[in-house]
Amino acid sequence: GENVEQHPSTLSVQEGDSAVIKCTYSDSASNYFPWYKQELGKRPQLIIDIRSNVGEKKDQRIAVTLNKTAKHFSLHITETQPEDSAVYFCAASRRGETSGSRLTFGEGTQLTVNP
Amino acid sequence: DGGITQSPKYLFRKEGQNVTLSCEQNLNHDAMYWYRQDPGQGLRLIYYSQIVNDFQKGDIAEGYSVSREKKESFPLTVTSAQKNPTAFYLCASSIMGGGVGEQFFGPGTRLTVL
């Protein structure tokens, strides 16, 4: 089955700096890669996702890049703010027309943005 | 107000007891999922269901059971066979097929074994 590894497990940056979180996956058939943000005690919420037919996607200060050959994808947050502090999870799945999105999650990265 | 709800928010169980966690959604989603989250760890899939009256084991199904009698509901029972049930349990739902892939999560139930 799919295995997703996420690094680093903790990341501390100064406000205004950029943050990068990296994930690798094992199943070359995986084609959907979401990123979730989870604040303490809250539910995970989708912040951005990418499908295997594109290499990069951007939404304001957040971007995700995908390298299918190397089987890794990364989350980039620019101009970090204290409210970006949370745990970030990457995930991977193989979505088809008749299947739901069974996700395999990485173990998470605790991002702390220091004012 | 559309969404996915879980109850209770906190649940305490004595050893040897079965407990059932509720998950309801009014998003008209076909697929529903149960995850377990331990401190400092990612989400691990317990069970998932893609259609009413059908469900599949995830990666850590031992000691858990589910049912899917209605599209809107996917309750999880933590049985006495689950040796270390203290954790945060998250339910999620999504549409089927090749459309939007997002899974929507409920607020979670924190289960503690006394």
Side-chain angles (χ1 to χ4, degrees):
Chain A
E2 175 69 281
N3 182 53
V4 176
E5 294 190 357
Q6 183 172 346
H7 299 280
S9 56
T10 61
L11 180 59
S12 182
V13 300
Q14 290 298 122
E15 183 176 359
D17 288 350
S18 295
V20 180
I21 303 171
K22 299 181 178 180
C23 290
T24 60
Y25 61 98
S26 61
D27 186 353
S28 57
S30 288
N31 57 10
Y32 175 66
F33 307 93
W35 286 88
Y36 285 82
K37 175 183 179 182
Q38 185 179 29
E39 297 177 358
L40 187 63
K42 301 289 183 63
R43 70 187 82 189
Q45 293 191 306
L46 181 75
I47 55 171
I48 195 167
D49 57 11
I50 191 168
R51 300 184 188 279
S52 58
N53 58 345
V54 297
E56 183 173 359
K57 184 177 179 180
K58 191 172 182 180
D59 182 4
Q60 298 183 349
R61 298 186 296 109
I62 294 173
V64 57
T65 59
L66 171 65
N67 183 326
K68 287 189 296 182
T69 303
K71 290 191 284 189
H72 68 69
F73 56 112
S74 300
L75 177 71
H76 304 253
I77 305 174
T78 59
E79 301 173 20
T80 54
Q81 301 166 3
E83 50 266 37
D84 294 329
S85 297
V87 179
Y88 291 81
F89 292 99
C90 63
S93 82
R94 189 195 319 186
R95 283 187 58 78
E97 288 301 320
T98 58
S99 65
S101 55
R102 175 181 169 161
L103 296 173
T104 300
F105 284 85
E107 294 200 345
T109 296
Q110 172 68 63
L111 173 64
T112 302
V113 180
N114 301 301
Chain B
D1 185 25
I4 182 166
T5 60
Q6 292 183 241
S7 62
K9 187 173 182 179
Y10 298 96
L11 186 57
F12 298 90
R13 190 195 94 169
K14 294 182 180 179
E15 287 192 19
Q17 282 183 334
N18 292 354
V19 291
T20 297
L21 283 59
S22 170
C23 178
E24 304 277 334
Q25 54 96 4
N26 61 6
L27 300 168
N28 200 33
H29 286 169
D30 288 299
M32 297 187 74
Y33 313 81
W34 274 106
Y35 293 92
R36 170 180 172 142
Q37 186 174 30
D38 294 283
Q41 296 190 28
L43 284 68
R44 293 184 289 169
L45 184 64
I46 304 172
Y47 269 98
Y48 64 107
S49 168
Q50 296 178 326
I51 195 170
V52 174
N53 293 322
D54 188 43
F55 46 84
Q56 290 79 41
K57 292 182 179 180
D59 300 319
I60 56 166
E62 185 175 352
Y64 299 97
S65 66
V66 294
S67 63
R68 187 84 187 278
E69 298 177 359
K70 297 187 300 181
K71 186 175 182 178
E72 302 79 21
S73 178
F74 191 40
L76 173 74
T77 296
V78 184
T79 75
S80 56
Q82 171 51 236
K83 297 306 178 188
N84 185 23
T86 295
F88 188 48
Y89 290 87
L90 286 158
C91 179
S93 69
S94 73
I95 65 170
M96 285 287 293
V100 175
E102 179 177 1
Q103 285 191 15
F104 292 84
F105 284 86
T109 292
R110 192 167 297 279
L111 173 63
T112 303
V113 173
L114 302 174

